[in-house]
Amino acid sequence: MSDSTITDDAAAARRLGAHVRRLRHARGLTLVQLAERIDLSHPFLSQLERGLAQPSLGSLRRLAVALETSPIEIIAAADEDADTIPVVQVVGPDSGAVPEGFASGTARMLAHRPGTFRPMEISGDAIEPGEHFVHAEDEFVYVLAGRVRIELDGRVHDLEPGASVSSPGGTLHRWWSADGAPFRLLVVKQAW
């Protein structure tokens, strides 16, 4: 591993930690409170926020749920160096996918625009509803392929390709396949 790779990894760990700290503060949580919610030690979380430790995929998932965001957004924050993000971005179809393990499917960021919005592509085929998510940001969901069932604050909606839904921050939501076949969504959230 080269010195520049180690430096890049350390910088990414610091950006990830700083983003986790911003989210924790925005949610009004202390390190101890967050640690209790996700069953991790507060010294570990302190190290994570300072860029001295990195979470496992399972810890990252629990952390994201407790901070009302998604693992892919936390990971994306580690890649977002405002000094190096180009004004014009081109993202290939196979770039940046985060594998299954944080939800029922895969996800990838489609653009990195600090302070504006976060577009993501979500793919899945789960036939059972997973856990609910809630976050402070407004969200827009567009069905690219497949039939998806979306639950918003207890109301279930079946959507087909071309359908969309938008919801304000604070909306309890989850989605799954309406017919057992794979689906793809374009999800756009406000950025923090």
Side-chain angles (χ1 to χ4, degrees), residues 37-109:
R37 286 185 182 191
I38 63 174
D39 196 30
L40 291 174
S41 73
H42 71 275
F44 172 79
L45 287 179
S46 176
Q47 288 182 337
L48 186 141
E49 287 188 358
R50 290 181 286 140
L52 303 175
Q54 294 191 14
S56 67
L57 190 56
S59 296
L60 181 65
R61 184 175 184 282
R62 293 192 317 264
L63 187 63
V65 170
L67 292 173
E68 301 174 355
T69 190
S70 68
I72 191 164
E73 290 175 275
I74 293 175
I75 292 168
D79 294 334
E80 291 177 352
D81 182 353
D83 296 332
T84 62
I85 293 177
V87 174
V88 175
Q89 301 171 21
V90 177
V91 177
D94 296 323
S95 64
V98 173
E100 291 189 48
F102 71 86
S104 55
T106 62
R108 68 186 185 106
M109 295 300 292

Side-chain angles (χ1 to χ4, degrees), residues 28 32 48 66 74-75 85 91 118 128-129 141-142 160 168 173 182 185:
V32 172
L48 186 141
I74 293 175
I75 292 168
I85 293 177
V91 177
R118 295 191 183 277
E128 295 294 324
V141 178
Y142 180 82
E160 299 198 10
H173 63 284
L185 306 173

Side-chain angles (χ1 to χ4, degrees), residues 8 20 22 34 37 46 62 74 79 95 103 119 127 131 138 163:
D8 292 346
V20 167
R22 281 192 301 276
L34 180 58
R37 286 185 182 191
S46 176
R62 293 192 317 264
I74 293 175
D79 294 334
S95 64
I127 58 173
E131 63 188 310
D138 292 352

Side-chain angles (χ1 to χ4, degrees), residues 17-30:
H19 185 66
V20 167
R21 183 182 305 112
R22 281 192 301 276
L23 288 172
R24 180 176 59 79
H25 287 169
R27 305 306 190 249
L29 296 171
T30 67

Side-chain angles (χ1 to χ4, degrees), residues 86-167:
V87 174
V88 175
Q89 301 171 21
V90 177
V91 177
D94 296 323
S95 64
V98 173
E100 291 189 48
F102 71 86
S104 55
T106 62
R108 68 186 185 106
M109 295 300 292
L110 299 175
H112 299 278
R113 308 249 33 113
T116 56
F117 58 91
R118 295 191 183 277
M120 296 173 275
E121 179 183 35
I122 308 289
S123 299
D125 60 4
I127 58 173
E128 295 294 324
E131 63 188 310
H132 287 94
F133 288 90
V134 63
H135 43 77
E137 306 86 12
D138 292 352
E139 186 169 67
F140 170 81
V141 178
Y142 180 82
V143 181
L144 296 167
R147 294 183 58 238
V148 66
R149 186 162 285 153
I150 297 180
E151 182 181 342
L152 302 162
D153 280 341
R155 291 193 61 209
V156 176
H157 308 271
D158 285 344
L159 303 178
E160 299 198 10
S164 65
V165 63
S166 62
S167 57

